Amino acid sequence: MKVRREKLVLSLLCVAFLQGWMVHSVEYDHTASIECLGDPMKPLYNGGVIQNGEFNSGLMGWSTHRNSKTGVRSSPSGNKFAVVHGAGGTLSSSGNVLPSHSVYQRVRMQRDTHYSLSAWLQVPAGSADVKAVVKAPHGERIIAGSVVAQSGCWSMLKGGMTAYSSGHGEIYFESDAPVEIWVDSVSLQPFSFDEWEAHARRSANATRRSTIRLVAKGAHDDKPMVNATVIIELLRAGFPFGNTMTKEILNLPAYEKWFTSRFTWNQNQEDYRIPDAMLQLANKYGIRVRGHNVFWDDQNSQIRWVRPMNTDQLKAAMQKRLKSVVSRYAGKVIHWDVVNENLHFNFFEGKFGPTASAQIYNQVGQIDHSAILFMNEFNTLEQPGDPNPVPSKYVAKMAQIRSYPGNGGLKLGVGLESHFSTPNFPYMRSALDTLAKLKLPMWLTEVDVIKGPNQVKFLEQVLREGYGHPSVNGMIMWAAWHANGCYVMCLTDNNFKNLPVGNVVDKLIAEWKTHSKAATTDENGIVELNLPHGEYNFTVTHPSVKGAIIHTMTVDAASSASEHTITVRV
């Protein structure tokens, strides 16, 4: 669990290029279900290494834990699915209630392989949290994903895990509730590390870059300018990539130089004199700012004098805070994290009822009409074993906020904190796939990786995974420098010399901005350029022209749809 003080945040940016190859099909899945379906869809990847994943051949390939009665049922439409009868409420020899288990299948797993997992689940009554469990070849029990299964319809669980040794593993589904778990359309698809990483690179190249055609023509005769020189200057990268910064930047020129030469987004502590000065510094360098946070739902993180307030006193204090901080920075920040971590905590819901978060979003939106209002949460990507912030519950909370009267027009966003230890990349990608169904701006808002022998490698992989996912709109590092030590991860030492993780960030910033610096038009006056998205100056010179023509243009996903003409005056 994170421990940090309430803060107003400022945030910074960069951009990227990745190019890869494919061994076999790895695609971002857009079937990740938010709704419940009457019948499940076909298993992804035709089931992968799972045998009889649709149970059309009865229980062939499947077994049960304990001496439970197992069967295959059919829906009215003829769809077949597996049921373990009386699985819930079984007692162990010590008298403890055991989890409810589904059928399981043993599979042969390969070392250094990512496995994407999916299944469709249902319970006969009510709803229950159901987890996917994989017993890895080396014996570790891995939670590979979780979903709220419901009665009357099928919900898709999507997740995954990584095998670091070869041998037999097991896959099954369990719940702490005493329920029967109905299972259908199970899939477990392996991908080598090379395949996985190549797909992220290919996706990044397709998502973050575009090929454009510039045509240089004479102003008077409209004829193509042959052999004109085009100089390409990237003014501002199109993909937001930033870092948190602290008040120390205000009086440390070395910190200011290090920070502002890399990032274009940032975050900091609440004291209006300090944020005002930091905002002024950000504006000086063209750094865009996001606000973190208006309120925090954690009971233990409330200011000491807030906790004993009665309802009326707290409401008055909240109104003062809202009008103060949101009004002060309205139009100056592009995002607000509105009620921080409201899936794990419920301080305001406990005081004002289950719609407290939705009401706060409503009020923030009334004051600041321009900023995107984010729901910021941890462990949605990082920990599939944490039941509170799983993607299906994130989606449900966002739906509650959206459906509150007056909130239909709010500009909402998905904030994913991304505090990693050992990343589970198949789960991370599956969670992003599921949340992408919300069709809202989605950011990794507080990226860090704990210290350890694989910190550098894991950080690069996390950033590449986020950058490569087509539904991720930006990333912010949680690596602010403090004189007394960083939260989890420092990018520099106290002399602002890069640490190894800082070198990774610099490498990616440079890679993601890679582009041709100059080109020459052909016989038709055309130059074709593959460029990372962003704002550019194109400077055109020709022997027949005095001086240079500068053309400013934003390159984005729509830029390749037509030719872009630069008129050259003699």
Side-chain angles (χ1 to χ4, degrees), residues 37-103:
L37 300 182
D39 278 329
M41 298 177 69
K42 292 286 185 181
L44 299 178
Y45 305 107
N46 294 317
V49 297
I50 292 293
Q51 181 183 11
N52 186 30
E54 295 182 85
F55 301 96
N56 291 328
S57 299
L59 290 174
M60 182 183 70
W62 296 89
S63 304
T64 58
H65 294 96
R66 305 186 293 273
N67 296 320
S68 302
K69 184 180 178 182
T70 308
V72 172
R73 293 184 187 170
S74 295
S75 69
S77 64
N79 176 67
K80 296 180 179 179
F81 55 92
V83 179
V84 177
H85 303 283
T90 305
L91 297 178
S92 68
S93 57
S94 60
N96 296 321
V97 178
L98 296 171
S100 305
H101 280 175
S102 71
V103 293

Side-chain angles (χ1 to χ4, degrees), residues 32-37 120 150 153-156 437:
S33 179
I34 287 176
E35 313 84 9
C36 260
L37 300 182
W120 290 82
Q150 304 177 45
C153 60
W154 293 89
S155 298
M156 186 186 195
K437 281 290 188 177

Side-chain angles (χ1 to χ4, degrees), residues 354-547:
T355 63
S357 287
Q359 293 178 52
I360 295 169
Y361 276 83
N362 182 281
Q363 292 183 287
V364 173
Q366 288 180 24
I367 298 171
D368 192 340
H369 304 289
S370 61
I372 300 173
L373 311 183
F374 276 73
M375 191 175 121
N376 197 50
E377 192 54 79
F378 66 95
N379 281 356
T380 304
L381 299 184
E382 305 98 294
Q383 294 292 342
D386 185 342
N388 296 299
V390 296
S392 60
K393 292 184 179 179
Y394 192 110
V395 167
K397 188 71 172 180
M398 185 63 81
Q400 182 198 42
I401 292 168
R402 276 174 147 173
S403 64
Y404 185 78
N407 284 1
L410 291 182
K411 295 188 289 186
L412 299 172
V414 175
L416 305 166
E417 295 186 13
S418 307
H419 298 287
F420 287 95
S421 51
T422 300
N424 179 338
F425 292 107
Y427 179 75
M428 179 183 177
R429 187 176 292 184
S430 72
L432 292 172
D433 284 349
T434 300
L435 294 167
K437 281 290 188 177
L438 285 167
K439 299 188 183 304
L440 294 172
M442 183 158 61
W443 285 54
L444 310 190
T445 55
E446 304 181 14
V447 181
D448 59 27
V449 177
I450 64 169
K451 201 165 188 176
N454 293 311
Q455 183 188 42
V456 173
K457 179 178 75 173
F458 286 160
L459 176 63
E460 180 172 349
Q461 290 173 325
V462 165
L463 293 175
R464 288 192 184 278
E465 190 70 30
Y467 185 80
H469 198 286
S471 295
V472 173
N473 300 103
M475 298 187 295
I476 302 291
M477 306 281 293
W478 201 254
W481 180 84
H482 291 276
N484 57 352
C486 304
Y487 170 61
V488 165
M489 184 180 73
C490 286
L491 299 180
T492 75
D493 62 20
N494 288 348
N495 295 314
F496 301 104
K497 298 290 181 61
N498 271 8
L499 297 171
V501 285
N503 288 336
V504 164
V505 169
D506 280 359
K507 180 180 81 170
L508 293 179
I509 289 172
E511 179 184 324
W512 293 347
K513 293 196 294 185
T514 299
H515 65 279
S516 299
K517 301 296 191 295
T520 303
T521 60
D522 62 16
E523 65 274 12
N524 298 310
I526 294 173
V527 61
E528 196 168 274
L529 302 166
N530 181 265
L531 300 172
H533 294 166
E535 299 171 20
Y536 286 86
N537 272 348
F538 299 99
T539 302
V540 181
T541 59
H542 191 271
S544 65
V545 178
K546 294 180 180 180

Side-chain angles (χ1 to χ4, degrees), residues 43-53 105 107 115-116 118 186-190:
L44 299 178
Y45 305 107
N46 294 317
V49 297
I50 292 293
Q51 181 183 11
N52 186 30
Q105 185 166 136
V107 293
Y115 286 86
S116 288
S118 63
V186 184
S187 174
L188 188 68
Q189 176 65 38

